[in-house]
């Protein structure tokens, strides 16, 4: 694994980068949130995740009210530097619904297509 | 795990949703790409990932030239429906660099902060 710095991260035209949060202990993908440069700097300094809330337009220190803090073990940037992978030790649940991961809703459609490989035209 | 349909997916103002691609076999996060509704429908139909290329502004059938196809096992939507998690069986490397995962560049800064918890003010 090679190394990069915060200067290599490519924030988009809104100044944001998506951050995939993964459980460092079992590999589960817990959530995806957004960081601006300030949020990323604070995450590095505090070693716990800080995001940018697009709806509230403010920094959002994960777990500040719920106590469900994410202690950061490692951050990686992808090959073109416009997405981050944050490996964490999650206290409690990552999702506001109480589920441990935000990805607890399975999308139907895959199983229904079995045996109908040509159903592509309308 | 509850179930949702494609109608529950919330595409953004560009008509896109980020898709986190995870190796179904070992849990590694392989890459993040974008899908519009058409890409998601084709992914469901073909059971292999199809994305929307923001740079080329066209559908991008993963592995079409490289052969590094992603066979889809399961797709989940997150709690607010604006991000997808796609669990796949990856043929070859997910990254165009030849690395199996696009997240092979570690971001420095965490280890340097050890013992300097108060370094927050400028």
């Amino acid at each position: 694994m090679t190394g990069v710095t915060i200067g290599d991260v490519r924030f988009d035209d809104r100044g944001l980068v998506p951050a995939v949060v993964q459980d460092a202990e079992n590999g589960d993908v817990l959530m995806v949130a957004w960081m601006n440069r300030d949020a990323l700097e604070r995450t590095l300094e505090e070693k716990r995740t800080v995001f940018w809330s697009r709806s509230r337009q403010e920094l959002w220190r994960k777990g500040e009210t719920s106590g469900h803090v994410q202690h950061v073990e490692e951050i990686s940037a992808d090959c073109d530097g416009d997405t981050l992978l944050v490996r964490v030790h999650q206290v409690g649940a990552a999702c506001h619904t109480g589920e441990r991961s935000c990805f607890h809703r399975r999308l139907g459609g895959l199983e229904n297509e079995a045996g109908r490989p040509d159903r592509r035209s309308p």
Side-chain angles (χ1 to χ4, degrees), chain A:
Chain A
M1 177 153 339
T2 57
V4 292
T5 70
I6 197 168
D8 297 306
V9 177
R10 288 172 52 208
F11 297 94
D12 68 13
D13 52 9
R14 301 165 299 179
L16 300 176
V17 66
V20 179
V21 181
Q22 184 180 32
D23 191 318
E25 290 159 34
N26 64 12
D28 284 355
V29 175
L30 297 172
M31 57 182 282
V32 173
W34 295 81
M35 290 184 180
N36 60 9
R37 189 184 179 95
D38 192 13
L40 178 54
E41 285 175 346
R42 285 169 190 254
T43 296
L44 289 168
E45 286 175 8
E46 301 181 18
K47 294 186 174 57
R48 45 181 282 193
T49 52
V50 179
F51 303 107
W52 176 254
S53 168
R54 294 174 300 168
S55 56
R56 297 193 305 273
Q57 290 283 300
E58 62 181 21
L59 285 177
W60 159 41
R61 189 166 276 97
K62 175 70 178 169
E64 190 148 68
T65 51
S66 66
H68 295 168
V69 172
Q70 295 170 333
H71 298 285
V72 177
E73 179 173 298
E74 183 182 86
I75 303 178
S76 305
D78 73 347
C79 50
D80 53 7
D82 65 1
T83 310
L84 300 176
L85 176 63
V86 185
R87 291 171 59 86
V88 305
H89 297 276
Q90 172 74 53
V91 177
C95 189
H96 73 284
T97 62
E99 297 273 353
R100 184 158 172 86
S101 165
C102 291
F103 293 96
H104 55 268
R105 305 193 304 161
R106 185 169 181 157
L107 185 68
L110 280 167
E111 60 288 340
N112 301 335
E113 299 297 328
R116 295 191 296 175
D118 294 331
R119 187 183 161 276
R120 195 177 313 170
S121 48

